Amino acid sequence: MENSEMSAIAQRIVALFVTIKNATFIGVRNYVNEAKEISNYVLIADFLWVKAVETSIAILKSLTDADFTKIAETYKCCNTAGIVYSNRKEGKLYLETGKLPKEGTKARDIVLGSIKTTKTLAEMRDEMIAQFEANLNPQTKSNQSIAQAETYERLYHNGKIVPSIKIHKETKKVYIWAMAHSKRVVVKGEYKDSERNIESEQKFSIEKYCKYILNAELPTTKYRNLVVDADQMSKVVAMGEELTLAE
């Protein structure tokens, strides 16, 4: 993407971030997310993703059977393997009645594709580690990482990646992608309750346990993708400079 294709605001942000050489604190003021929450962030720009992944792996590997028992008790999540379940109403109906749509139909494929089997928390932890380790190897990147790569591109300046800047390939919007150091909510958002599936709840519970019980938050969960837009942030502070996007 050429700089000429960016908004004037995005060009100013990129010009500032080009000067970042190492992990650096930056501030984003009055950021508005999709839930209309307004927050002030302190982020760490140019923090190595590889280092974040390696630290997350080390934390996950330190968990013991006693930790998994406590996670299950604290967050009321599944720690039993072999339970067959489905998150789709069609799949739940099949498990209750044993009846399937006609063979060879898309409806049947959807039902069968929704059937899953639970894992223990230890098995889920091992799966999380395997995904992280695969992402460290370009030859074995996960589907999620591939999807991210296909959605965003990095910006280059003089042959080098501009730190903590991503561009959405389709919308051409510029994002600040950096690790959160702290966040202060100025205005609370309007969040809707959403039901997680069993595996998502297990992963979320493991992450919460590491953060709140062990005081060892996984660095990979701290990354934020903030769109550079005057309607969504008022100021960016970095490298001793303060850029005003909106009053």
Side-chain angles (χ1 to χ4, degrees):
M1 180 177 181
E2 299 294 332
N3 281 10
S4 59
E5 298 179 61
M6 298 180 194
S7 67
I9 286 172
Q11 289 185 46
R12 291 167 62 201
I13 297 294
V14 169
L16 181 57
F17 277 43
V18 163
T19 65
I20 294 175
K21 302 299 182 185
N22 298 296
T24 302
F25 286 110
I26 62 173
V28 174
R29 303 289 180 262
N30 297 319
Y31 185 78
V32 185
N33 68 11
E34 293 180 351
K36 306 302 181 185
E37 177 187 276
I38 302 176
S39 302
N40 292 335
Y41 283 93
V42 175
L43 305 170
I44 305 176
D46 202 25
F47 188 92
L48 293 179
W49 173 250
V50 170
K51 183 176 179 181
V53 171
E54 291 173 343
T55 301
S56 296
I57 290 173
I59 294 170
L60 290 172
K61 284 185 174 181
S62 72
L63 298 177
T64 66
D65 288 341
D67 289 314
F68 296 128
T69 298
K70 190 169 183 180
I71 291 170
E73 293 173 350
T74 303
Y75 301 110
K76 310 302 179 187
C77 64
C78 177
N79 193 25
T80 304
I83 300 174
V84 179
Y85 73 100
S86 174
N87 294 307
R88 296 183 66 96
K89 64 178 182 181
E90 302 93 336
K92 292 176 181 177
L93 182 62
Y94 161 63
L95 292 176
E96 290 175 4
T97 65
K99 295 180 180 180
L100 279 170
K102 189 178 295 183
E103 190 170 350
T105 62
K106 185 176 180 181
R108 186 185 183 98
D109 291 340
I110 289 173
V111 170
L112 293 178
S114 75
I115 306 302
K116 297 183 179 181
T117 304
T118 60
K119 303 177 180 69
T120 65
L121 287 169
E123 290 172 330
M124 184 54 62
R125 182 275 311 271
D126 292 343
E127 186 174 290
M128 293 167 71
I129 290 173
Q131 289 174 346
F132 280 137
E133 291 177 336
N135 290 338
L136 292 177
N137 183 348
Q139 304 301 318
T140 58
K141 281 187 176 294
S142 68
N143 291 335
Q144 183 178 2
S145 293
I146 292 171
Q148 282 283 317
E150 291 176 345
T151 302
Y152 297 94
E153 62 183 327
R154 303 303 299 272
L155 184 67
Y156 288 81
H157 176 78
N158 291 336
K160 294 184 178 180
I161 293 177
V162 178
S164 293
I165 293 292
K166 279 187 174 183
I167 300 165
H168 195 284
K169 291 182 179 179
E170 184 176 334
T171 65
K172 302 303 180 184
K173 287 186 177 181
V174 175
Y175 289 77
I176 295 174
W177 182 68
M179 190 168 75
H181 174 71
S182 64
K183 171 186 175 183
R184 183 174 69 84
V185 176
V186 179
V187 176
K188 292 183 178 180
E190 300 174 2
Y191 291 98
K192 296 179 180 179
D193 292 332
S194 59
E195 184 179 349
R196 295 185 183 86
N197 63 39
I198 291 176
E199 290 191 359
S200 295
E201 189 60 45
Q202 286 177 310
K203 291 178 182 178
F204 186 60
S205 296
I206 290 171
E207 292 169 355
K208 284 197 298 183
Y209 181 79
C210 291
K211 178 178 179 178
Y212 296 112
I213 306 300
L214 298 184
N215 196 28
E217 185 175 5
L218 304 185
T220 48
T221 65
K222 298 168 70 174
Y223 273 78
R224 300 293 179 267
N225 212 25
L226 309 183
V227 63
V228 175
D229 190 306
D231 291 334
Q232 288 188 250
M233 59 176 66
S234 63
K235 292 181 181 180
V236 175
V237 182
M239 305 297 288
E241 293 190 40
E242 183 177 289
L243 299 182
T244 299
L245 283 70
E247 298 297 339

